[in-house]
């Protein structure tokens, strides 16, 4: 969904085709990341001492990685199907370029990020009373988000 949201705005079928090819490339990258998660889960199970934590994390890595792999395979199949059929490609471009639906998705994403930042900040304050490891992790996450936000804001300001 986020990849689709990032690669919207095609005015012609040819432009949409290029965006689909970019989407395909990103799907291959996330497919590799999902595979890395599965491999990490398997390695963790083999190398780490047998404990509840090891079993939990191994299962989580394998489950999330496998889900990402399946979602990317489905995405790659859909994109390949679209790229082969001009009429289907045209219909899908029209469907994806629905401005109202795109605006709703952008507003939902912006609101979700804002709420998440507030929750992250509140959790950061509370965690300082209990665990410095959690505090520094949340602090680092907050600073990383802000730096990424500033970077993309600068990029899009210069691009437009």
């Amino acid at each position: 969904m986020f990849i689709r949201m990032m690669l919207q705005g095609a005015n012609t079928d040819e432009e949409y085709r290029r965006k689909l090819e970019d989407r395909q490339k990103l799907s291959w990258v996330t497919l590799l990341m999902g595979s890395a998660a599965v491999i990490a889960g398997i390695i963790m199970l083999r190398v780490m001492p047998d404990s509840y934590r090891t079993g939990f994390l191994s299962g989580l890595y394998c489950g999330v990685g496998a889900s990402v792999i399946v979602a990317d395979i489905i995405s790659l199949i859909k994109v390949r199907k679209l790229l082969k059929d001009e009429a289907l490609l045209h219909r899908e471009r029209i469907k994806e370029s629905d401005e109202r639906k795109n605006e709703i998705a952008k507003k939902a994403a912006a609101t979700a990020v804002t709420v998440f930042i507030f929750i992250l900040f509140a959790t950061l304050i509370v965690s300082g009373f209990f665990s410095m490891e959690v505090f520094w992790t949340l602090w680092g996450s907050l600073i990383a988000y802000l730096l990424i936000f500033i970077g993309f804001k600068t990029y899009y300001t210069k691009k437009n």
Side-chain angles (χ1 to χ4, degrees), residues 14 43 45 50 101 107 118 125:
E14 195 52 43
I43 290 171
L45 199 58
D50 189 27
K101 189 170 91 174
K107 283 185 178 186
F118 280 111
I125 292 169

Side-chain angles (χ1 to χ4, degrees), residues 32-73:
L32 289 173
M33 291 169 61
S35 300
V38 170
I39 291 167
I42 293 169
I43 290 171
M44 178 179 271
L45 199 58
R46 302 280 182 208
V47 174
M48 300 292 288
D50 189 27
S51 69
Y52 171 77
R53 177 179 170 217
T54 301
F56 171 76
L57 289 175
S58 176
L60 182 79
Y61 293 166
C62 288
V64 170
S67 298
V68 168
I69 291 169
V70 169
D72 283 325
I73 289 171

Side-chain angles (χ1 to χ4, degrees), residues 18-111:
R18 285 191 302 274
K19 293 206 181 243
L20 285 175
E21 289 166 355
D22 290 343
R23 195 181 293 175
Q24 227 175 3
K25 291 173 189 171
L26 281 172
S27 288
W28 281 110
V29 171
T30 55
L31 184 90
L32 289 173
M33 291 169 61
S35 300
V38 170
I39 291 167
I42 293 169
I43 290 171
M44 178 179 271
L45 199 58
R46 302 280 182 208
V47 174
M48 300 292 288
D50 189 27
S51 69
Y52 171 77
R53 177 179 170 217
T54 301
F56 171 76
L57 289 175
S58 176
L60 182 79
Y61 293 166
C62 288
V64 170
S67 298
V68 168
I69 291 169
V70 169
D72 283 325
I73 289 171
I74 291 169
S75 175
L76 287 167
I77 290 169
K78 285 181 179 179
V79 168
R80 183 171 290 163
K81 186 178 177 183
L82 286 172
L83 291 173
K84 287 182 180 181
D85 186 346
E86 289 296 322
L88 186 60
L89 181 121
H90 180 74
R91 281 195 308 270
E92 193 64 25
R93 178 182 68 82
I94 298 298
K95 190 169 101 178
E96 276 193 27
S97 62
D98 178 16
E99 291 176 12
R100 181 178 179 273
K101 189 170 91 174
N102 293 341
E103 194 60 32
I104 289 169
K106 287 177 186 176
K107 283 185 178 186
T111 304

Side-chain angles (χ1 to χ4, degrees), residues 113 117 120 136-157:
V113 166
I117 294 300
L120 180 68
W136 286 115
T137 301
L138 295 173
W139 179 252
S141 300
L142 186 61
I143 296 301
Y145 166 76
L146 292 173
L147 291 174
I148 291 167
F149 176 79
I150 290 167
F152 278 113
K153 186 175 181 186
T154 304
Y155 169 77
Y156 285 119
T157 300

